[in-house]
Amino acid sequence: VANIKSQIKRIRTNNLAQARNKSERSAIKTSIRRFRDAVASGDKAQIATELIAASKKLDEAVSKGVLHQNNAANKKSALAKAANKASK
């Protein structure tokens, strides 16, 4: 256990950031799962809605520093590809 005041504070702020990041990653996974459920159901309107919602979540994660820009871009590309395939 750290006994330097600045390190104790650093541990506390790291734990808060870790909790925020974990929550954000969980929300991303949930939105992607909803999108995949929509693709499985085949409802085109719902697919479009969930694609937009998932893309927005990914963009927010990038802006908050939770995900790398390229990682989010790859995920969004895969989602768009799945949406296009499902709508044909």
Side-chain angles (χ1 to χ4, degrees), residues 10-79:
R10 198 78 199 116
I11 290 169
R12 214 176 326 126
T13 57
N14 286 345
N15 289 339
L16 287 172
Q18 183 180 13
R20 276 194 302 267
N21 290 343
K22 187 175 184 180
S23 172
E24 191 68 26
R25 282 193 301 269
S26 176
I28 291 166
K29 288 178 187 176
T30 300
S31 65
I32 290 174
R33 190 185 68 243
R34 284 185 184 155
F35 170 77
R36 291 194 177 132
D37 290 344
V39 169
S41 73
D43 182 12
K44 291 183 182 182
Q46 189 179 7
I47 290 171
T49 304
E50 295 299 336
L51 175 63
I52 291 169
S55 295
K56 188 173 180 181
K57 276 284 180 197
L58 288 166
D59 288 337
E60 288 174 1
V62 169
S63 69
K64 292 179 181 180
V66 177
L67 287 180
H68 191 274
Q69 185 176 357
N70 293 353
N71 186 323
N74 287 339
K75 288 182 189 299
K76 285 168 55 176
S77 175
L79 294 176

